[in-house]
Amino acid sequence: MLITTILLSALLASHAHAQSTGTNLTVPTGYGPTYHSCPTNMTFLRPPIVRPFPILPSHPGALTRDQGLNRDESAWVSGRKPVVASSLAAYLSALHLPDFPLAEYTAALARDTSLVPTLSLALSGGGAPATWTGMGILQAFDSRFPPSAQQGTGGLLQCLTYLAGLSGGSFPVTSYAVSDFPTTADMVRQYDPDVDPFSPPGISSDAYEEEVFREIFQKLQAGFPVSLADYLGRVESFEFIPGNGSGINTTWSGVTQLPRFRNYSMPFPLLQIVVVAQDAPPFYVGDVPILIPQANSTLVEATPFEWGSWQGPRTGFTPTKYLGTTLFGGKPANTSRCVNGFDNAGFMLATASCAWNLWYEINATNGTGPNFAKRALGADFARRSLGISPARAEAEHLTKRKTIFFPESEFELLLAAYNSSFNLTVPDVLTAPYPNPFLGINNDTQRYLSMVDGSESGQTIPLAGVMQPARKPDFIIAYDVSQETTYGWQNGTNLIDSANWAESFGIPFPKIASATTMLNRNFTLRPTFFGCKNASVPLVLYLNNAPYSTYSNFSIIDNQLEPEQVTDILTNSFNIVTQGNGTLGHGWAECLGCAAIQRSIERLGWNTTSQCAQCFQEYCWDEVDDTELLPGLQVFDPSLQLSPNTTFAEWNRTHQYFYTNDTV
Ligand SMILES: *[C@@H]1O[C@H](CO)[C@@H](O)[C@H](O)[C@H]1NC(C)=O
Ligand SMILES: *[C@@H]1O[C@H](CO)[C@@H](O)[C@H](O)[C@H]1NC(C)=O
Ligand SMILES: *[C@@H]1O[C@H](CO)[C@@H](O)[C@H](O)[C@H]1NC(C)=O
Ligand SMILES: *[C@@H]1O[C@H](CO)[C@@H](O)[C@H](O)[C@H]1NC(C)=O
Ligand SMILES: *[C@@H]1O[C@H](CO)[C@@H](O)[C@H](O)[C@H]1NC(C)=O
Ligand SMILES: *[C@@H]1O[C@H](CO)[C@@H](O)[C@H](O)[C@H]1NC(C)=O
Ligand SMILES: *[C@@H]1O[C@H](CO)[C@@H](O)[C@H](O)[C@H]1NC(C)=O
Ligand SMILES: *[C@@H]1O[C@H](CO)[C@@H](O)[C@H](O)[C@H]1NC(C)=O
Ligand SMILES: *[C@@H]1O[C@H](CO)[C@@H](O)[C@H](O)[C@H]1NC(C)=O
Ligand SMILES: *[C@@H]1O[C@H](CO)[C@@H](O)[C@H](O)[C@H]1NC(C)=O
Ligand SMILES: *[C@@H]1O[C@H](CO)[C@@H](O)[C@H](O)[C@H]1NC(C)=O
Ligand SMILES: *[C@@H]1O[C@H](CO)[C@@H](O)[C@H](O)[C@H]1NC(C)=O
């Protein structure tokens, strides 16, 4: 990554002039949003319907199972149901389920689509490892990848109703959705992972930076505040939104026009972000106030249909296509100034991974200040160092499995460029500003909401959207790369945070094991089901990034991966999902199938087959918590699950990827 100091003072000088003339383009051709007259039949701010949830009547504000879903989403899900039903039939028929009445099950779903189970996959944040291992998870569930189909895990992707992403996990979710749901192999070919999107070949870095800043300027010129999220979005689009113009006019709402969305053959994508409350106690870096979300900060979801929040002081949804429009009291402030194109897909992706506030503060405090949300809900800032110094990493040969800070010199140049080009100061640019659709509702006077990476809320797995009762969740795969432990593996803290968050709003969600239990019982190394004993909560499969065939805990900011490394990472994810082609868990693929349909079996009033009962015996948490961490787990340093005798040092000697050391 290379950032040059650039001076766009000429652009800055023309700013005032440009704003007064305005642009009246009818479609976005560049990065700047455009203005149109507002449709008259549109609801610009939809309140979610608030009624007590019948199972937990003591929680006012919770939703009933049937209410609150966006009308378009509801219609789309109805269209998706029959597609899922036939995908399920194909998926289940490839499994060895001898005592399961598949034909009867298929017939029952065909008769009554409300029996079709709602399955979701949530891809966690965690930087580049979350992006690339997440792509491997998608591939391992994809029927179009022959080895997955062979192992019986392929096909589950085709049965999903929802696919949620956040931060590093928002890259595959956004990218697959705007590309009309290609295979992972196609996607990797288009990304060209060994190109650094911050410094692509064939263009001088000065010219590239200048082009990116000119594009960002188009947005400023159109009357919108800009931030480092725009920079991240434009640059990451170069790789992750392939095609002409690198996603310059690709919108998130535009997904609704794509063939596989229209014929219901892709899962419904959603991104999770968080609002930084302006009244949060700021963290000072010198005299610069840095705002950081609290555990109770409002979680926002962005679907191709709408953008908004189910819980908290700002509940309601605005159409994604018209994001950026100034609303007052839920209505356009000026009916001839409705905005299109603010929902640029790269900007959405960048908002979901915009952690500049934390990157800045972590750099300035050398990791001793507020950190990535690896803290328990309700707890104060964890004073935990994000990383060890490169020198120590070098000494301990750990360079490949440590997260490190954002390269500081480049960060400084970037801040200087925002200042010289746009006259913006550090606090202006660390969070992504969104015109506040709740302006004028409940005396809300804040013009812009400051949005950041959803994981800053303490929940790195984007579960808030998919667990909503209005979406009737049956089975949720929670894929975790949140890196809470020393070497970048998990101990369950972020999943526990999500369970606590759910409980605080009365949302049905399984009881989750403590971090101690997670570690003692290897729940962050092997697949585990939560919620097995309670039919009124969704069943959750907890899957983790863990070393199976490769140490997949590389630097969170690796922007360049060579083909061998990509292959190794995808294979590692494949081994996680298939349990080493079944070598680690005999009958695991069948157990996954059992879990996927369990809630629908209960709705049918059928008995769980003895094969499935056996599976739940083996893979469910028994709801017993340990109180003491077993010896040796204070520093969680698992070895390769498929080759336990290969130490990291040995593996490292034979896996010297070309680009990896760049970033350290
Ligand atoms: C833009 O549209 C407004 C009304 O919507 C109109 O008054 C104005 O003349 C237009 N400007 C240009 C440059 O077309
Ligand atoms: C979107 O951008 C591409 C590439 O610059 C361009 O070819 C296309 O015409 C644009 N589409 C619209 C609707 O402006
Ligand atoms: C609004 O009207 C347009 C044009 O008649 C129609 O296509 C669209 O579906 C309507 N939208 C809603 C929300 O009713
Ligand atoms: C979060 O909690 C604090 C203190 O309890 C409160 O002042 C604040 O309004 C809450 N914020 C939200 C978004 O609920
Ligand atoms: C930053 O922290 C590391 C250890 O985490 C320490 O070795 C280093 O000296 C610190 N740097 C500064 C400038 O305080
Ligand atoms: C990052 O930290 C270093 C060391 O404290 C400091 O010199 C530098 O100015 C910081 N960078 C930014 C962008 O604040
Ligand atoms: C830059 O912004 C400051 C206020 O934030 C303002 O006083 C100053 O005039 C601006 N400079 C230019 C060149 O616009
Ligand atoms: C809004 O403010 C007015 C005047 O201060 C107050 O009477 C009213 O209760 C407030 N409404 C809400 C919903 O907070
Ligand atoms: C799990 O990780 C969190 C966040 O890093 C940490 O605070 C906690 O002590 C860890 N718990 C265990 C049991 O390792
Ligand atoms: C957890 O895995 C380790 C090896 O990685 C093994 O020694 C231990 O027995 C496992 N514990 C349980 C409860 O399965
Ligand atoms: C499982 O199969 C895949 C694809 O055929 C292969 O790449 C991988 O090495 C196999 N893993 C094991 C543990 O055999
Ligand atoms: C379910 O199992 C119970 C006990 O084994 C049995 O009595 C009942 O007939 C079974 N129901 C169905 C629908 O098979």
Side-chain angles (χ1 to χ4, degrees), residues 381-397:
F381 298 139
R383 299 186 78 77
R384 172 186 157 276
S385 170
L386 175 66
I388 54 178
S389 68
R392 201 193 120 199
E394 183 71 27
E396 297 189 3
H397 306 288

Side-chain angles (χ1 to χ4, degrees), residues 122-134:
L123 294 180
S124 109
T131 298
W132 293 96
T133 66

Side-chain angles (χ1 to χ4, degrees), residues 360 363-364 408 411-412 415:
Y360 181 80
N363 171 66
E408 56 189 59
F411 200 167
E412 260 160 59
L415 289 168

Side-chain angles (χ1 to χ4, degrees), residues 85-123:
S86 73
S87 300
L88 259 180
Y91 164 68
L92 294 170
S93 71
L95 298 173
H96 184 65
L97 302 169
D99 55 354
F100 180 69
L102 179 57
E104 273 177 65
Y105 180 73
T106 307
L109 299 194
R111 263 198 313 278
D112 178 1
T113 55
S114 76
L115 292 167
V116 176
T118 302
L119 317 184
S120 306
L121 170 58
L123 294 180

Side-chain angles (χ1 to χ4, degrees), residues 21-24 336:
T21 41
T23 53
N24 277 13
S336 59

